[in-house]
Amino acid sequence: MKRILVTGARGFVGRQITPLLAARGYDVHAVTSQTPPRDATCTWHHANLLQERQRETLVTSIGADALLHLAWAATPPHYWTDPENLRWLSATLDLVRSFSSRGGTRVVGAGTCAEYDWTAGHCSEGSTPLHSGSLYGTSKAACGTVLESYGRHTGLSVAWARLFFLFGPYDAPSRLVPSLATALASGQRACCRTGDHVRDFIHVADAAAALVALLESDVTGAVNIASGSPMRIADVARAVAESARRPDLLSVEPGPPQDALVTADISRLRCEVGWHPPLDTIGRIDETVRWTLAQ
Amino acid sequence: MKRILVTGARGFVGRQITPLLAARGYDVHAVTSQTPPRDATCTWHHANLLQERQRETLVTSIGADALLHLAWAATPPHYWTDPENLRWLSATLDLVRSFSSRGGTRVVGAGTCAEYDWTAGHCSEGSTPLHSGSLYGTSKAACGTVLESYGRHTGLSVAWARLFFLFGPYDAPSRLVPSLATALASGQRACCRTGDHVRDFIHVADAAAALVALLESDVTGAVNIASGSPMRIADVARAVAESARRPDLLSVEPGPPQDALVTADISRLRCEVGWHPPLDTIGRIDETVRWTLAQ
């Protein structure tokens, strides 16, 4: 595996991944629908993957061995119900078929913890049912299960990375850490309304490192990408407030009983991929708050 | 609902459906990738639905209220593992999006009992897990769950018909009823090797009538299309042998323990759609054998 095609390379996860891959000596071909950056460590391509001809041209001209596919409809909160999820599902299936037919051998796709039935609480790849209330989670689950089956029937090596609750630089401003940090630092009161809910949070740079380890492994099928250290949302909010030096402005309330617990079994990630998450989530939150407030 | 677009209209199920719809007074627009027949009861269209431009032209020019989508990769036994399943999944999602954006309001898609986890035995839409060993079943399940979610989020009325074990005129020659009938009638010995397995068989004309009832209803989500009267495969084989007048040439053996039972809960079909299957499966087998031997 030498040449890697990375889609969504300017996205939240993608921008963490390309430097890691380049530093490991791969010939990285990075695709974005935005303006490509000035960055000589990768070969940049500008393309709209929803357009069949652009997909074909890209895959044919690059001839990559591996595909790390991160691109998808991703504007919060719209992506949960966006009909564009169907276009991304179709485009992804076509992209993988095309990649495989041109000699590609390894695919890692970006799934999500939203594929799982959250009434289960703790989510294991092999046993927790997939049942999402959202079009986003349903479309991602469909994509993962079909690509896994396609891989089994064609010999293409396919892994499906179910990403849990990411935070870090370039997160959308409406998300938990940046929205709280910005409000509190500007002197506004803020209330965390699902304080007793528990989630598996992982810093986006750690998730990127886990994705690289998964890509380099020969593990196939669904793999949770998470820290394995669940936190109460109240504790995340309090860590943000400490970093923003305004714990006095934060209030915390309990949330509704549904979806109270969404945690990850990371035994596949640890034992099969061999990747172990760093343990300092509070330090990672502090870094993220400092980065957010410096923008 | 006046104008109906039927895809796969020259297929095994499709050729039973268009006369029923025409007789009920609908303006039927029938699509086939084969040569359209001389048949003035429908407006026939020749198109390859795997081609984006042909799909778009078709949907835009017809402007149908309802879509009955039967087309898919369907050549036995190849379709179980055919990578074309991915193309049909993509094409189906695009077709439905396009149909909906042009004012279409009602969709019925063709699913399959192969979407279910057959270790469950008796298959209920609401409770039996979807888990297929085949690319065909996985792709159909993905299609149904995504379209159902798309319908919930956009207001499009979508039903997904999970067809059980069909038999009847124009079945593929390799399938149970025609292959046994042909062999026995030509004086060859034949062995039924899964005699103790139990399946829900339904004649294709009855399945077509159920699909029309489903299309005319406002029932959404997955609906099993089956007889509700499971039969041992040995009993089907014996009925074929009786009709072919060569029961002396038939032997029956028990099958492997896996997949011994695949039966259908048809309470949604009966109580919500209001369609009741005819009870004379043996008579339907006899009709089919006579039709097969007359070709």
Side-chain angles (χ1 to χ4, degrees), chain B residues 126-145:
Chain B
S127 57
T128 305
L130 300 184
H131 183 77
S132 175
S134 71
L135 187 56
Y136 172 69
T138 304
S139 301
K140 285 278 194 180
C143 196
T145 53

Side-chain angles (χ1 to χ4, degrees), chain A residues 28 40 62-63 65 78 85 91 111 135 142 165 184 186-187 199-200 237 259 283:
Chain A
V28 180
I62 296 173
D65 310 300
H78 188 52
N85 279 293
L135 186 56
F165 295 86
L184 296 172
S186 68
R199 299 286 183 266
D200 189 306
D259 303 339

Side-chain angles (χ1 to χ4, degrees), chain B residues 44-55:
Chain B
W44 284 89
H45 302 264
H46 180 261
N48 178 357
L49 293 174
L50 295 177
Q51 298 297 327
E52 185 176 353
R53 195 168 301 174
Q54 294 188 42
R55 277 196 307 270

Side-chain angles (χ1 to χ4, degrees), chain A residues 17-26 28 41:
Chain A
I17 289 264
T18 54
L20 294 181
L21 291 172
R24 294 174 75 83
Y26 294 111
V28 180
T41 65

